Amino acid sequence: MGRTVVVLGGGISGLAASYHLSRAPCPPKVVLVESSERLGGWIRSVRGPNGAIFELGPRGIRPAGALGAQTLLLVMLGGSWLQTLEASGCVLSQELFQQRAQEAAATQLGLKEMPSHCLVHLHKNCIPQYTLGHWQKLESARQFLTAHRLPLTLAGASYEGVAVNDCIESGRQAAVSVLGTEPKS
């Protein structure tokens, strides 16, 4: 009887892992388990009220829980705009950032409606991805899985990068780990 590999989650990493597992020289039976009605995880396209299509990336900087599942727009402001504000002595407040983000959404996307919820965070000189100590926790989890010989591999935006290409590579690496060899191209 052949091997069966269960992939938990039909996000981009789970889909990539399933694809690469199915392309192995002796592919295992792949069972993809997804809790929602659609595949793609955090990646999805949403049509706005004026017909504009928004592409939402994996995880990104969404809040956790139900609010995060309903987040449709992330506005990142910075660079010279922020430097000019700081140089002018302007007080950098959450209200100011929210106002500027809403102005940008209205100007660039035609969105005039006020958001039902708004979270504002100031992160200077970075694009936040993980909390402090993330890499140490991830390494500890991997060591635990190895030490206890658990047949589990971690993949996805929660582990090794939040960009689409990171998620696809994470899924490919999970397949390689399970197979013990590179799948054919």
Side-chain angles (χ1 to χ4, degrees):
M1 183 172 184
R3 257 171 93 176
T4 298
V5 175
V6 178
V7 177
L8 299 177
I12 193 69
S13 296
L15 293 171
S18 298
Y19 169 80
H20 288 290
L21 287 165
S22 70
R23 306 229 353 120
C26 295
K29 176 181 177 184
V30 178
V31 178
L32 178 64
V33 179
E34 171 54 45
S35 65
S36 71
E37 296 178 5
R38 53 174 284 288
L39 297 174
W42 286 100
I43 296 178
R44 64 179 180 225
S45 299
V46 176
R47 187 171 299 275
N50 297 332
I53 296 176
F54 300 93
E55 299 297 335
L56 305 176
R59 291 286 291 199
I61 312 169
R62 290 191 177 92
L67 179 58
Q70 297 174 3
T71 301
L72 299 180
L73 181 61
L74 170 65
V75 178
M76 298 177 106
L77 304 169
S80 63
W81 171 83
L82 182 59
Q83 292 168 355
T84 301
L85 278 178
E86 287 181 305
S88 72
C90 185
V91 176
L92 303 179
S93 67
Q94 290 191 342
E95 293 78 18
L96 174 66
F97 291 133
Q98 181 175 340
Q99 176 190 354
R100 294 294 173 97
Q102 288 172 271
E103 288 171 2
T107 302
Q108 297 172 22
L109 303 174
L111 300 176
K112 306 292 185 204
E113 187 176 330
M114 296 294 285
S116 59
H117 296 84
C118 189
L119 296 175
V120 177
H121 297 284
L122 173 60
H123 300 280
K124 290 187 177 184
N125 303 318
C126 71
I127 297 176
Q129 294 182 5
Y130 300 112
T131 59
L132 188 62
H134 171 80
W135 301 113
Q136 292 83 1
K137 291 175 188 173
L138 181 58
E139 184 55 32
S140 176
R142 286 197 174 117
Q143 288 175 5
F144 180 86
L145 294 173
T146 301
H148 291 84
R149 295 184 174 170
L150 297 174
L152 180 64
T153 303
L154 304 175
S158 295
Y159 306 105
E160 298 269 358
V162 298
V164 172
N165 57 328
D166 294 324
C167 293
I168 293 169
E169 177 61 14
S170 177
R172 188 193 71 75
Q173 288 177 9
V176 168
S177 175
V178 168
L179 295 168
T181 182
E182 290 280 338
K184 60 186 176 186
S185 305

